[in-house]
Amino acid sequence: MGINYQFICGNCNYEAVVSGGDDVGMASCTTTISCQDCGELFDVVTSEQPWDESTGLSDGELVCPGSASDESSYYADRDRSNRNHRVRRWTFPGPCPKCGLTMTKGEAVLMWD
């Protein structure tokens, strides 16, 4: 079961609800990415076969899903994705994508499978 936490930047007040790194549920594996162009954190699906460690996306295959304010970023419409955006894996404790200061980990807000 995966868990999403609220991460908060005390400097610029940016907030995100993401796993904070690699996570796994019954149907997928995810990782948290930071998009340098959007200035946001996203969780993206890296594999739909969590039982098979040989599957999954490499760092070079990670793509920014684009902003998904009204739906889960796990299933963001591929039409909004941008392969030209500069993304990298993000793990807690990590820098705020807006201002660069270390973010604070808050409460668990979502459990998913």
Side-chain angles (χ1 to χ4, degrees), residues 27-31 43-49 56-57 61-63 73-75 78 112:
S28 64
C29 295
T30 65
T31 196
D43 278 339
V44 294
V45 174
T46 57
S47 174
E48 292 180 350
Q49 298 175 340
L57 299 177
E61 296 174 300
L62 297 173
V63 176
S73 60
Y74 294 120
Y75 304 106
R78 287 201 177 269
W112 58 273

Side-chain angles (χ1 to χ4, degrees), residues 48-87:
E48 292 180 350
Q49 298 175 340
W51 58 88
D52 185 352
E53 292 182 15
S54 68
T55 65
L57 299 177
S58 67
D59 287 358
E61 296 174 300
L62 297 173
V63 176
C64 174
S67 212
S69 59
D70 60 345
E71 64 181 281
S72 170
S73 60
Y74 294 120
Y75 304 106
D77 184 4
R78 287 201 177 269
D79 291 341
R80 284 196 317 268
S81 67
N82 192 327
R83 294 192 178 278
N84 295 323
H85 281 204
R86 297 165 293 152
V87 299

Side-chain angles (χ1 to χ4, degrees):
M1 177 174 297
I3 302 174
N4 284 13
Y5 297 89
Q6 181 176 30
F7 292 91
I8 304 161
C9 177
N11 183 55
C12 71
N13 296 321
Y14 172 72
E15 295 183 19
V17 176
V18 292
S19 292
D22 293 335
D23 212 348
V24 64
M26 293 291 290
S28 64
C29 295
T30 65
T31 196
T32 303
I33 62 168
S34 175
C35 178
Q36 297 173 25
D37 295 290
C38 293
E40 294 188 45
L41 298 178
F42 299 99
D43 278 339
V44 294
V45 174
T46 57
S47 174
E48 292 180 350
Q49 298 175 340
W51 58 88
D52 185 352
E53 292 182 15
S54 68
T55 65
L57 299 177
S58 67
D59 287 358
E61 296 174 300
L62 297 173
V63 176
C64 174
S67 212
S69 59
D70 60 345
E71 64 181 281
S72 170
S73 60
Y74 294 120
Y75 304 106
D77 184 4
R78 287 201 177 269
D79 291 341
R80 284 196 317 268
S81 67
N82 192 327
R83 294 192 178 278
N84 295 323
H85 281 204
R86 297 165 293 152
V87 299
R88 62 181 174 172
R89 289 183 191 261
W90 186 91
T91 56
F92 177 77
C96 172
K98 301 273 188 204
C99 72
L101 294 182
T102 302
M103 296 188 74
T104 303
K105 185 176 183 179
E107 297 291 321
V109 295
L110 176 70
M111 293 179 168
W112 58 273
D113 254 339

